[in-house]
Amino acid sequence: MPLADVPPQPPAIEAPLFDLAQMPRDDAMNLRAVKPRCPEGRVGEIVVCAQNPEKERVRPLDAFAVREGLPRAEMGLSENSTLGIEVEQATVGNGQVSNRAMVRYKLKF
């Protein structure tokens, strides 16, 4: 590779050093990302807490989402043209079914 084609070296970035041992050890700082569901026990208590029943629960779709379905995959390219993707199903000879995805370009004139 000729010398002119060699990319320049990126500048070195100095970051401040981080040492976890220098962090304050008081209990006022809570670094947990998620608040625990169960209350903390007092001295001499044992707290038994069940798993979150809502964690993997599947809720029914609201009526609007079921009625309307997915939004159209279409975008405007200009004032008078759009580009969209649609899926369709058609019967071909011998009763065979053709499942296809169509990309449609529409131009108003």
Side-chain angles (χ1 to χ4, degrees):
M1 180 181 279
L3 190 58
D5 292 342
V6 176
Q9 291 289 340
I13 299 174
E14 290 187 27
L17 295 176
F18 175 77
D19 187 6
L20 192 57
Q22 295 176 355
M23 293 291 294
R25 293 185 180 256
D26 59 350
D27 291 332
M29 184 181 302
N30 185 359
L31 299 177
R32 284 185 239 151
V34 179
K35 184 178 177 181
R37 286 186 334 106
C38 298
E40 291 188 20
R42 291 177 287 190
V43 177
E45 275 187 340
I46 297 175
V47 177
V48 179
C49 188
Q51 291 182 351
N52 186 356
E54 301 293 320
K55 181 178 178 183
E56 296 186 23
R57 180 171 296 222
V58 178
R59 299 274 179 209
L61 295 174
D62 60 348
F64 177 76
V66 174
R67 185 178 67 248
E68 295 296 321
L70 294 174
R72 292 186 60 84
E74 185 174 86
M75 63 181 283
L77 298 176
S78 66
E79 293 177 5
N80 56 354
S81 66
T82 59
L83 183 67
I85 299 174
E86 300 171 5
V87 293
E88 62 184 34
Q89 188 176 48
T91 305
V92 190
N94 297 335
Q96 301 225 348
V97 177
S98 171
N99 296 321
R100 53 191 172 208
M102 305 294 287
V103 178
R104 300 193 191 270
Y105 173 72
K106 298 177 184 176
L107 179 63
K108 298 176 188 175
F109 52 93

